[in-house]
Amino acid sequence: MCIAGSAERRGKRAVELGGGSLSREEVAGNYKEYAAFFEKPKQIEKLDNVPKLVDTFYNLVTDIYEWGWGQSFHFSPAVPGKSHRDQTRLHEERVADLLKLKPGQKVLDAGCGVGGPMRAITAHSGANVVGITINDYQVARARNHNKKARLDHLCEVICGNFLQMPFADNFFDGAYSIEATCHAPQLREVYAEIYRVLKPGQLYVTYEWVTTPKYSADNPEHVEIIHGIEHGDALPGMRSFTQIVEIAKEVGFDVLENRDLALPPAHPWWKRLKMGRLAYYRNHVVIALLSFLGIAPQGVVEVHEMLFKTALYLTRGGETGIFTPMHLLVCRKPAVSQRE
């Protein structure tokens, strides 16, 4: 079923790059604060500050993501013969199919960004999607995109913390998160909230950023790669593939499916990053020029450079096989809640 909209389009021009909800004068200072806070993710003590700094991160990077990547802030398995846009759409539609969504159902998008996946899932299934993001700038961007795609009657976006969601118990017919819960200071808290708002017997699908069985904490190169990913993507510590399953079960979910979608026969998800290196250098020159001319705010150049360095770490994580951004969990909330 196809209604309207698209899975992924670029939504920004270079001359429009800014700092989200931050004023031009605040961008550079907020970048320095962010970079210092996430310098050592494993040693973060004040976890209560993580949501605020994640909000800052998305103020800093949302425009650049939209300009250089698209409206869907996630990776997808490479599919021979398919464009990046089609690969993205297929990865998102898989979520709708796993949830068995139907028109009229209400589904939660926990950590919706600017709503790329939301629009693809709605267009594919006809379901009503309610997205939540901690960043008010992303809320405005998502609502604007929803309206342009003529899907605003089916897609709703609110600003809030997915650790404390403003929804009643047993409210949603399904829930999903796409590379979003990695930002939670405690994964158990967000899984427990999703469990709470999900109707008994219904499904939760998530794509998680995790270390794989190949990762060794005793390998200095592995540690460097994971730290580089954490620092450049606002992660308060990477979880392992075993931890996410254990936590899902701890909050009450039955885990129905648990596998890494990046494993063969899937083609490398990081191929797009390697192909984009030339574009990075071109874009960096453009951003530097715009910053010099006073069109882009001071600090945007440093943010773009951070994202490029992070892309190198992500590529190394994929090539070594120690990291995946698409570990799939399909969970069900029991028909009779185990927590009642």
Side-chain angles (χ1 to χ4, degrees):
M1 179 178 181
C2 183
I3 300 174
S6 68
E8 182 233 21
R9 288 177 184 159
R10 285 174 173 78
K12 274 284 181 179
R13 297 180 300 162
V15 294
E16 298 173 324
L17 297 180
S21 299
L22 301 174
S23 68
R24 293 174 58 87
E25 295 74 24
E26 293 175 316
V27 173
N30 274 264
Y31 167 70
K32 291 178 182 178
E33 181 184 2
Y34 162 82
F37 185 81
F38 282 99
E39 180 61 34
K40 296 180 179 180
K42 295 293 185 184
Q43 282 73 48
I44 290 176
E45 296 180 356
K46 296 181 179 180
L47 292 178
D48 290 345
N49 290 343
V50 171
K52 175 182 179 293
L53 270 296
V54 170
D55 181 29
T56 296
F57 173 76
Y58 279 110
N59 274 326
L60 295 170
V61 306
T62 291
D63 281 355
I64 295 176
Y65 278 3
E66 281 205 60
W67 176 51
W69 193 262
Q71 296 174 21
S72 295
F73 298 174
H74 63 80
F75 295 103
S76 306
V79 181
K82 297 290 186 181
S83 66
H84 295 315
R85 181 174 171 182
D86 285 340
Q87 292 167 12
T88 299
R89 175 181 54 79
L90 291 170
H91 197 48
E92 293 163 347
E93 289 177 353
R94 184 201 296 262
V95 172
D97 294 338
L98 287 168
L99 289 172
K100 302 178 175 62
L101 295 180
K102 300 175 182 177
Q105 290 186 314
K106 188 178 289 290
V107 62
L108 170 69
D109 182 335
C112 65
V114 299
M118 167 192 297
R119 289 182 288 281
I121 287 169
T122 293
H124 182 65
S125 68
N128 296 77
V129 180
V130 179
I132 184 169
T133 171
I134 200 167
N135 184 262
D136 57 0
Y137 181 67
Q138 290 190 336
V139 171
R141 295 294 299 162
R143 288 174 177 170
N144 181 57
H145 291 315
N146 291 345
K147 187 174 182 179
K148 286 183 177 179
R150 301 188 302 278
L151 290 171
D152 50 322
H153 62 297
L154 292 173
C155 296
E156 179 184 352
V157 187
I158 68 166
C159 188
N161 187 340
F162 58 22
L163 302 178
Q164 298 172 317
M165 293 188 282
F167 307 118
D169 296 354
N170 309 319
F171 185 73
F172 289 102
D173 300 302
Y176 67 87
S177 54
I178 298 180
E179 302 182 26
T181 61
C182 51
H183 294 300
Q186 298 289 349
L187 187 63
R188 192 184 193 285
E189 293 181 13
V190 64
Y191 276 9
E193 265 294 89
I194 292 169
Y195 184 97
R196 179 184 68 79
V197 301
L198 194 60
K199 292 179 180 178
Q202 300 306 311
L203 300 176
Y204 167 51
V205 171
T206 182
Y207 294 154
E208 293 289 352
W209 284 32
V210 297
T211 55
T212 73
K214 293 185 177 182
Y215 173 76
S216 172
D218 297 322
N219 185 316
E221 180 188 10
H222 290 187
V223 173
E224 177 197 358
I225 291 169
I226 296 304
H227 175 239
I229 295 172
E230 292 169 335
H231 181 259
D233 280 299
L235 308 185
M238 186 84 70
R239 285 109 191 176
S240 72
F241 72 103
T242 55
Q243 285 177 313
I244 61 171
V245 177
E246 292 169 358
I247 293 170
K249 291 179 178 178
E250 284 175 8
V251 304
F253 280 119
D254 295 327
V255 178
L256 307 182
E257 192 169 353
N258 163 33
R259 63 190 178 99
D260 182 2
L261 297 179
L263 294 175
H267 291 252
W269 56 267
W270 62 91
K271 181 179 178 182
R272 184 178 179 187
L273 289 172
K274 296 190 74 170
M275 292 173 62
R277 289 182 186 177
L278 181 61
Y280 160 77
Y281 291 113
R282 179 197 65 210
N283 292 348
H284 201 64
V285 170
V286 171
I287 291 175
L289 178 61
L290 292 173
S291 181
F292 175 77
L293 295 174
I295 297 172
Q298 295 295 314
V300 170
V301 173
E302 289 78 6
V303 173
H304 190 252
E305 184 176 355
M306 175 191 74
L307 294 178
F308 176 67
K309 291 179 179 177
T310 306
L312 296 178
Y313 283 118
L314 287 163
T315 301
R316 289 171 63 189
E319 290 177 333
T320 57
I322 66 170
F323 164 76
T324 177
M326 54 190 71
H327 194 103
L328 168 69
L329 290 187
V330 180
C331 305
R332 175 183 287 126
K333 180 175 179 176
V336 178
S337 176
Q338 299 171 3
R339 297 169 63 193
E340 293 177 353

